[in-house]
């Protein structure tokens, strides 16, 4: 089954404790993105990747890092999480000329 | 830069009533347009998309949207809603040639009441 998976689905952590949210897709897509969803703000792009070792900032990159060492994986790293990063995070991928993105199930992160 | 405006943050309707969720976009180039749906406590699912050709596009569950280039709109409609249509709906735009960025509206919460 074609899908985007994320782990963990739920995470509660404390300020300053480094964490990684994993994302993996099995569709051989070149493009992958991370978004955060906040009430009343919709989804905003954090980072994106156009291929292995090619990443760039989206609209709200501050406080986040990403890496793309393999085509299928695109982890999101919060090196020193803060409460304002409490949010619902989505990973997405797309592989065609048309930017139809496939979304993962989401990761709900709470930073205390 | 592209942008999307969803004019209504919440739309309450009664079951079997018609509904329209409004979406306007801004872009200096040609665009692809999408509607995504998010059911309670779930991820985003593609509902329908406009890429080119016929300006009226339909989904399998009775929704339709019409691309209006002159009004830069992509409103979503359903002639008769069900309780199960209760969800948040997001309009999104992607510029031609951009495979990495979707710009979303802030969402419209559709609540269908019995």
């Amino acid at each position: 089954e074609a899908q985007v998976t994320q782990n963990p689905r739920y995470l509660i952590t404390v300020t300053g404790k480094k964490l990684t949210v994993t994302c993996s897709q099995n569709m051989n897509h070149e493009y992958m993105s991370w978004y955060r969803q906040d009430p009343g703000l919709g989804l905003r792009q954090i980072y994106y990747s156009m291929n292995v070792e090619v990443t760039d900032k989206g609209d709200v990159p501050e406080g986040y890092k990403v890496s793309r060492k393999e085509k299928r994986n695109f982890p999101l790293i919060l090196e020193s999480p803060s409460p304002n990063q409490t949010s619902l995070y989505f990973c997405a991928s797309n592989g065609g000329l048309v930017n139809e993105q496939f979304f993962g199930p989401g990761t709900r992160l709470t930073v205390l | 830069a592209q942008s999307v405006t969803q004019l209504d943050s919440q739309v309450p309707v009664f079951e079997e009533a018609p509904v329209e969720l409004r979406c306007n976009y801004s872009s200096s180039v040609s665009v692809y347009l999408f509607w995504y749906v998010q059911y309670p406590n779930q991820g985003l699912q593609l509902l329908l998309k406009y890429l080119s050709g016929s300006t009226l596009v339909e989904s399998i569950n009775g929704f339709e949207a019409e691309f209006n280039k002159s009004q830069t709109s992509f409103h979503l409609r359903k002639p008769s809603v069900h309780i199960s249509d209760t969800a948040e709906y997001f309009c999104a735009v992607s510029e031609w040639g951009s495979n990495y960025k979707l710009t979303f509206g802030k969402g419209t919460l559709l609540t269908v009441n019995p």
Side-chain angles (χ1 to χ4, degrees):
Chain A
E1 178 190 358
Q3 60 182 347
V4 178
T5 58
Q6 296 178 227
N7 282 292
R9 295 289 312 281
Y10 301 91
L11 179 59
I12 301 175
T13 189
V14 295
T15 299
K17 185 176 181 183
K18 181 179 179 179
L19 65 91
T20 299
V21 183
T22 64
C23 171
S24 183
Q25 50 94 4
N26 62 1
M27 296 169 278
N28 201 37
H29 284 169
E30 292 182 345
Y31 299 90
M32 298 185 74
S33 293
W34 276 102
Y35 295 85
R36 61 178 288 174
Q37 182 183 10
D38 301 290
L41 296 179
L43 282 84
R44 294 176 292 168
Q45 192 183 50
I46 302 171
Y47 267 95
Y48 63 91
S49 170
M50 292 185 280
N51 214 324
V52 175
E53 302 292 1
V54 182
T55 64
D56 206 348
K57 298 176 180 178
D59 297 319
V60 287
E62 293 78 20
Y64 304 94
K65 287 177 59 177
V66 293
S67 69
R68 188 95 180 273
K69 293 182 169 54
E70 303 168 283
K71 196 172 187 178
R72 63 182 294 126
N73 296 324
F74 190 45
L76 179 69
I77 303 157
L78 285 72
E79 298 218 328
S80 184
S82 61
N84 64 11
Q85 293 178 297
T86 292
S87 187
L88 180 58
Y89 292 86
F90 288 101
C91 180
S93 73
N94 69 294
L97 294 176
V98 175
N99 192 6
E100 178 182 339
Q101 299 202 10
F102 296 84
F103 284 83
T107 295
R108 187 166 294 281
L109 172 66
T110 302
V111 183
L112 302 175
Chain B
Q2 64 217 44
S3 66
V4 178
T5 301
Q6 291 184 244
L7 296 160
D8 305 296
S9 60
Q10 297 186 51
V11 174
V13 296
F14 289 109
E15 195 172 18
E16 299 184 5
V19 71
E20 178 180 82
L21 307 184
R22 296 178 292 169
C23 172
N24 287 89
Y25 71 92
S26 173
S27 176
S28 57
V29 300
S30 297
V31 297
Y32 301 124
L33 293 157
F34 306 86
W35 276 99
Y36 283 85
V37 58
Q38 185 178 32
Y39 297 104
N41 299 312
Q42 294 190 27
L44 277 83
Q45 303 173 31
L46 180 67
L47 186 61
L48 46 77
K49 60 189 176 187
Y50 170 77
L51 306 179
S52 64
S54 172
T55 58
L56 184 65
V57 292
E58 299 176 352
S59 72
I60 58 173
N61 58 352
F63 282 94
E64 64 178 32
E66 186 161 19
F67 170 56
N68 187 319
K69 188 175 181 179
S70 63
Q71 297 186 3
T72 59
S73 68
F74 191 53
H75 301 332
L76 181 69
R77 302 184 182 93
K78 190 171 185 179
S80 176
V81 294
H82 303 288
I83 298 283
S84 59
D85 291 324
T86 293
E88 189 153 25
Y89 293 78
F90 293 94
C91 182
V93 64
S94 173
E95 294 182 340
W96 283 19
S98 168
N99 284 349
Y100 56 86
K101 185 173 180 65
L102 266 182
T103 298
F104 285 86
K106 295 183 178 180
T108 297
L109 179 61
L110 174 64
T111 303
V112 182
N113 299 300

